[in-house]
């Protein structure tokens, strides 16, 4: 086969430890044959993290207020992305291509907080809070392009379609020694889409060039948010 043609495979795997074992994998494939170029890739990773924050806040008003906070945060993330497409060149000035790619997200979080409040050095209140959240997101993109020559004009055509979505659920549960308990359930869902088209013709003219074309974009967004307590 001529130089540069054939199938190539590249894979990179990483494994480590930080609070928990984490890893990532990135695979790439490419096939070339004469004027045809086919490519694909995918990547996935998983990480778990923990953070503990201890803080003290002081407020000086008519009374002296002191708050000691102990906050534990946990997160679990699992992103995935992939791409596949092809390019074909008819000749040096005429080519066509199509590509699809996505990016998907999936994560969980939990936060546990304990806060002690003192007024003028005397114990005032104790607050316990537990927050949990789960989120999912996705982005899908399709691209089609063509460039070539028509009569004495060069042209470029490009079309994009993108679809995005996200879903997030958040639960808050608080309990105070002196106050009333609080429970809040928040659900948020968003969806959006985008379509874009561009066509451009150009050619040399005297000592400069002339260009004309058209470009259109359409965007649609929808979102819903619900609070329950």
């Amino acid at each position: 086969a001529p130089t540069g043609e054939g199938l190539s495979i590249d894979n990179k795997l990483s494994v480590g430890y930080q609070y928990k074992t984490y890893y990532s994998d990135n695979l790439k494939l490419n096939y070339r044959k004469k004027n045809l170029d086919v490519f694909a890739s995918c990547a996935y990773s998983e990480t778990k993290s923990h953070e503990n924050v201890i803080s003290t806040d002081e407020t000086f008003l008519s009374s002296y207020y002191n708050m000691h906070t102990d906050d534990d945060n946990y997160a679990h993330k699992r992103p995935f992305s992939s791409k596949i497409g092809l390019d074909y060149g008819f000749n040096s000035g005429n080519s066509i291509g199509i590509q699809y790619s996505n990016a998907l997200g999936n994560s969980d979080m939990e936060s546990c907080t304990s806060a002690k409040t003192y007024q003028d050095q005397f114990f005032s209140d104790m607050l316990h809070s537990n927050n949990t959240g789960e989120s999912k997101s996705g982005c899908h993109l399709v691209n089609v392009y063509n460039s070539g020559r028509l009569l004495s004009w060069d042209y470029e055509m490009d079309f994009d379609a993108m679809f995005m979505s996200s879903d997030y659920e958040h639960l808050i549960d608080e309990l105070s020694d002196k106050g009333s308990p609080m429970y809040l359930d928040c659900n948020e869902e968003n969806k959006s889409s985008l379509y874009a088209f561009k066509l451009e013709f150009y050619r040399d003219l005297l000592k400069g060039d002339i260009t004309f074309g058209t470009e259109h974009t359409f965007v649609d967004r929808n979102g819903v948010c619900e609070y329950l307590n």
Side-chain angles (χ1 to χ4, degrees):
T3 303
E5 289 193 352
L7 176 66
S8 66
I9 302 176
D10 179 56
N11 186 62
K12 183 179 180 181
L13 175 64
S14 301
V15 180
Y17 185 86
Q18 183 179 355
Y19 171 65
K20 294 285 187 178
T21 302
Y22 66 87
Y23 68 92
S24 64
D25 194 8
N26 194 325
L27 175 65
K28 296 181 180 180
L29 304 174
N30 186 244
Y31 176 77
R32 288 190 178 96
K33 182 68 174 181
K34 294 183 179 179
N35 297 334
L36 176 65
D37 183 13
V38 181
F39 53 90
S41 66
C42 64
Y44 176 79
S45 65
E46 183 172 3
T47 59
K48 295 181 180 180
S49 62
H50 170 239
E51 181 184 35
N52 178 252
V53 179
I54 299 177
S55 62
T56 300
D57 296 318
E58 296 179 311
T59 304
F60 297 90
L61 297 172
S62 57
S63 297
Y64 168 66
Y65 294 92
N66 187 295
M67 176 180 289
H68 299 280
T69 304
D70 190 341
D71 192 6
D72 272 316
N73 300 291
Y74 301 87
H76 184 195
K77 299 180 180 179
R78 304 171 296 282
F80 172 83
S81 62
S82 65
K83 179 189 298 184
I84 186 170
L86 63 87
D87 297 309
Y88 186 83
F90 298 97
N91 50 55
S92 59
N94 193 340
S95 61
I96 189 172
I98 183 171
Q99 176 178 294
Y100 165 76
S101 61
N102 62 31
L104 310 177
N106 194 339
S107 63
D108 308 304
M109 60 79 64
E110 182 178 2
S111 176
C112 302
T113 303
S114 297
K116 292 182 180 180
T117 304
Y118 295 85
Q119 180 179 357
D120 294 328
Q121 305 299 329
F122 294 99
F123 176 78
S124 176
D125 196 6
M126 180 72 176
L127 176 67
H128 301 276
S129 176
N130 187 42
N131 301 340
T132 58
E134 179 180 357
S135 65
K136 296 180 181 180
S137 62
C139 178
H140 303 267
L141 175 63
V142 177
N143 171 256
V144 180
Y145 82 91
N146 175 230
S147 63
R149 189 172 181 84
L150 182 63
L151 299 177
S152 59
W153 292 85
D154 295 313
Y155 71 88
E156 292 183 358
M157 185 275 293
D158 194 84
F159 171 77
D160 291 291
M162 183 173 65
F163 309 93
M164 300 179 64
S165 63
S166 64
D167 189 2
Y168 180 67
E169 182 177 4
H170 189 194
L171 302 176
I172 303 176
D173 190 2
E174 290 188 353
L175 179 63
S176 173
D177 285 357
K178 292 186 177 181
S180 301
M182 183 190 74
Y183 176 81
L184 179 64
D185 184 356
C186 174
N187 293 279
E188 184 176 350
E189 183 177 353
N190 297 284
K191 293 183 178 181
S192 62
S193 57
L194 178 146
Y195 302 91
F197 175 78
K198 180 180 180 181
L199 178 61
E200 187 176 79
F201 291 88
Y202 55 93
R203 59 170 294 179
D204 295 333
L205 180 64
L206 300 176
K207 294 183 179 181
D209 59 73
I210 182 173
T211 302
F212 73 93
T214 183
E215 184 174 352
H216 302 276
T217 303
F218 173 78
V219 179
D220 180 54
R221 295 188 181 94
N222 292 285
V224 177
C225 186
E226 295 179 339
Y227 291 92
L228 303 175
N229 55 14

